[in-house]
Amino acid sequence: MNKCVIFSAYLIVCLGHAVYAQKVVIVGGGVSGLAAAQHLCQKGICDITILEAEGRIGGRLYTDRFKGEIVERGAQWMHGLKGNPVYWVISRNFSVIVDDHDEQGSIHLSSGKATNREVSRLLSDAEELYDQLNLKLLAMDDPNSEKNTVLVEEAKLMWESKLTSQGVTLEKTITDAIFHYTMTKWSSENGERSQNVSVLDSLFYRNLEGGDIIVPQGYSMLLQLLQEDIPKSTILLNTEVTKIIWDGPDVDQNMSRQIDVQYIGSDGSVGQIKADHVIVTVSIGVLQKNHRSMLVPNFSEEQARAVERMTFGIVNKIFMHYEEKFWNDQDFPYRFLWDSNIETEFKEDAHWFREINQVEIYRDNILLVWANAYVSREVLDLPDEEIGRRITLLLRRFMGNDSIPLPDDLLITRWHKNEHFLGSYSYMGLGKTRITQRIASRPLGVDGTPKVLFAGEATHIGRYGTVDGAYRSGRREASKIISIYNDS
């Protein structure tokens, strides 16, 4: 066994090789990782290191600049204010406003036919289906087992019943177009096409009152607040964790069964940190891909199956900047209702364009298109210029104006292509339940003591897919560590 000399409480030199020992190592510097670190430091546990694979902190919370304007590449809203800890943290320090989502705008049919008041009313009715599904499930004795079925199928049945009961006289192509619009909108909200989302999503997700809140100065102001209690020296950027050896013969028994965290540093060098506890906050997509090679020993088969059954969605944003506006603001958001097939104008593609349901104004000279999972997978491998060209064809078609210019610049997110994320946020997929979430997020322990803990929005029951879900989960896992030392 190597002879080690202890120079300080947490620096050990073994035959000339530096091994840093920290009480807690946090894998990932997103909201959940920073929330965990802040909570630990506030309770006096500041022997921590945060290992972040990206060259910045924040994870999927990423405020950026585009053409001089603040844009949110990732998370955009605080969903609800009542009982939302993230709202409480931010609103004490920065101004916030409720986003009304510009609900007026205009509605247009791909056939070129005129819309009327009945179309607008039915569009509102269709968007209420989600809440109606939730009420229906709440009235059931055991929705968990009886209704883990496809969201879109249940919604379609309710939609057809509504049309019959109201005696709607609109053409079927139009009522189908309204329903399709609603499903593509849900796709962006869930992170996956509604064909792959469980009806249980409408029951298990916990809505908070207060609408959607935005931070004019940028959502990343939250990161600034979370860092206030964390020593800057604890955060290592461009540092990718490759292995966490948490139990077994590879763990030094003479160091109180410490965990060996191995990583690749910013300069490509290999390093390691010894820790008493590790909180893993990587996205569920990254955990699914890497857990078998990263965790030694790995999850139990039951937990591994639960992790692999978790569902992770894709939503991207396409920001388009124009030097000169060609639109009237009052027409936006500009909603697309696909009551006819126009694929002849997109011969090189299948039906990706039918998944784009609207264009909205993001800033004075910037338009925004949301790319759901299907559009992201089908289109976002293309060069930015080609994506801009194709969306311009849609605008020209719906606006009836062949002179609409190409955007002079684009900013396109590709979260699913980044190996450090592999997606945007989690959703309730078929076969996934709250039990799945609980099993997937169980800590790995030794002799009843949690050694490797798991946080992130996907692990939060009820607020998965949200920033506050990530925040809550980080503090939740930190509290488990804090309780160990409070009880000792």
Side-chain angles (χ1 to χ4, degrees), residues 128-173:
E128 293 173 358
L129 288 175
Y130 202 87
D131 294 334
Q132 293 167 8
L133 272 173
N134 186 42
L135 293 174
K136 180 179 178 181
L137 289 170
L138 286 172
M140 299 181 66
D141 291 333
D142 187 14
N144 189 68
S145 61
E146 294 183 34
K147 281 299 179 184
N148 203 336
T149 55
V150 181
L151 178 64
V152 67
E153 293 177 357
E154 291 294 321
K156 184 67 172 176
L157 292 174
M158 294 186 72
W159 177 241
E160 291 174 348
S161 175
K162 181 182 291 289
L163 294 177
T164 300
S165 65
Q166 293 184 1
V168 173
T169 58
L170 288 173
E171 298 174 23
K172 188 175 186 300
T173 55

Side-chain angles (χ1 to χ4, degrees), residues 301-315:
E301 280 305 311
E302 178 191 36
Q303 192 165 359
R305 285 194 300 271
V307 167
E308 290 165 3
R309 287 177 66 186
M310 298 282 276
T311 42
F312 196 45
I314 301 169
V315 175

Side-chain angles (χ1 to χ4, degrees), residues 10 23 43 55 59 70 154 176 180 191 239 266 269 307 324 326 344-347 371 381 395 410 424:
Y10 293 101
K23 186 166 288 184
K43 297 299 181 179
I70 291 175
E154 291 294 321
D176 285 350
H180 176 75
T239 305
S266 57
S269 61
V307 167
E324 294 186 9
F326 60 84
T344 54
E345 296 181 24
F346 302 87
K347 294 179 182 178
D381 279 338
L395 290 172
L410 294 100
S424 303

Side-chain angles (χ1 to χ4, degrees), residues 408-479:
D408 59 82
D409 201 0
L410 294 100
L411 174 63
I412 302 176
T413 66
R414 293 177 172 87
W415 290 102
H416 63 306
K417 291 293 183 179
N418 187 320
E419 289 295 320
H420 299 150
F421 301 105
L422 298 176
S424 303
Y425 43 79
S426 60
Y427 66 97
M428 188 64 67
L430 297 176
K432 174 183 171 185
T433 66
R434 285 174 171 169
I435 296 173
T436 309
Q437 286 178 288
R438 291 191 179 100
I439 294 174
S441 58
R442 280 194 312 223
L444 303 175
V446 176
D447 298 332
T449 299
K451 303 297 284 184
V452 183
L453 305 94
F454 300 91
E457 52 83 14
T459 71
H460 193 276
I461 305 296
R463 292 296 289 174
Y464 50 87
T466 67
V467 173
D468 67 275
Y471 176 88
R472 295 169 198 255
S473 72
R475 291 180 65 88
R476 178 194 69 208
E477 298 308 305
S479 293

Side-chain angles (χ1 to χ4, degrees), residues 117-278:
R117 186 173 298 176
E118 187 175 15
V119 171
S120 298
R121 179 182 59 79
L122 277 181
L123 192 60
S124 296
D125 288 348
E127 292 177 344
E128 293 173 358
L129 288 175
Y130 202 87
D131 294 334
Q132 293 167 8
L133 272 173
N134 186 42
L135 293 174
K136 180 179 178 181
L137 289 170
L138 286 172
M140 299 181 66
D141 291 333
D142 187 14
N144 189 68
S145 61
E146 294 183 34
K147 281 299 179 184
N148 203 336
T149 55
V150 181
L151 178 64
V152 67
E153 293 177 357
E154 291 294 321
K156 184 67 172 176
L157 292 174
M158 294 186 72
W159 177 241
E160 291 174 348
S161 175
K162 181 182 291 289
L163 294 177
T164 300
S165 65
Q166 293 184 1
V168 173
T169 58
L170 288 173
E171 298 174 23
K172 188 175 186 300
T173 55
I174 296 178
T175 57
D176 285 350
I178 293 171
F179 184 76
H180 176 75
Y181 171 91
T182 304
M183 292 303 100
T184 55
K185 183 175 180 180
W186 288 6
S187 293
S188 294
E189 293 174 356
N190 293 316
E192 183 53 88
R193 301 183 82 193
S194 298
Q195 291 89 326
N196 300 320
V197 178
S198 170
V199 169
L200 294 179
D201 189 85
S202 68
L203 178 65
F204 289 162
Y205 178 79
R206 186 164 69 92
N207 285 295
L208 301 180
E209 296 177 12
D212 290 335
I213 317 299
I214 59 177
V215 186
Q217 291 174 270
Y219 210 160
S220 287
M221 293 298 103
L222 174 63
L223 308 178
Q224 176 182 314
L225 298 172
L226 292 179
Q227 287 184 89
E228 289 180 352
D229 299 303
I230 306 170
K232 290 184 179 179
S233 60
T234 64
I235 302 174
L236 301 180
L237 301 178
N238 297 304
T239 305
E240 185 169 354
V241 172
T242 56
K243 199 171 291 293
I244 301 170
I245 304 173
W246 62 276
D247 192 21
D250 292 328
V251 179
D252 192 335
Q253 300 298 312
N254 292 326
M255 295 180 66
S256 303
R257 300 179 74 93
Q258 283 195 307
I259 304 164
D260 182 5
V261 181
Q262 300 176 9
Y263 62 86
I264 298 175
S266 57
D267 59 357
S269 61
V270 177
Q272 67 183 94
I273 299 179
K274 295 289 187 179
D276 295 324
H277 310 277
V278 174

Side-chain angles (χ1 to χ4, degrees), residues 27-131:
V27 182
V31 170
S32 54
L34 294 175
Q38 182 195 50
H39 194 35
L40 288 167
C41 283
Q42 288 172 338
K43 297 299 181 179
I45 302 176
C46 274
D47 300 320
I48 63 175
T49 294
I50 301 173
L51 303 179
E52 169 54 52
E54 291 280 293
R56 60 175 182 84
I57 60 169
R60 286 164 278 162
L61 179 58
Y62 186 6
T63 302
D64 200 2
R65 287 274 178 177
F66 176 52
K67 309 302 284 189
E69 297 283 357
I70 291 175
V71 296
E72 303 290 1
R73 284 177 175 260
Q76 190 157 315
W77 298 284
M78 287 174 275
H79 296 293
L81 57 86
K82 188 174 181 179
N84 188 332
V86 170
Y87 169 80
W88 183 78
V89 169
I90 292 180
S91 62
R92 287 187 308 155
N93 298 273
F94 299 98
S95 62
V96 296
I97 59 175
V98 177
D99 188 350
D100 62 7
H101 295 287
D102 297 321
E103 288 299 337
Q104 296 302 314
S106 56
I107 305 168
H108 303 268
L109 297 169
S110 57
S111 63
K113 296 177 181 177
T115 60
N116 54 35
R117 186 173 298 176
E118 187 175 15
V119 171
S120 298
R121 179 182 59 79
L122 277 181
L123 192 60
S124 296
D125 288 348
E127 292 177 344
E128 293 173 358
L129 288 175
Y130 202 87
D131 294 334

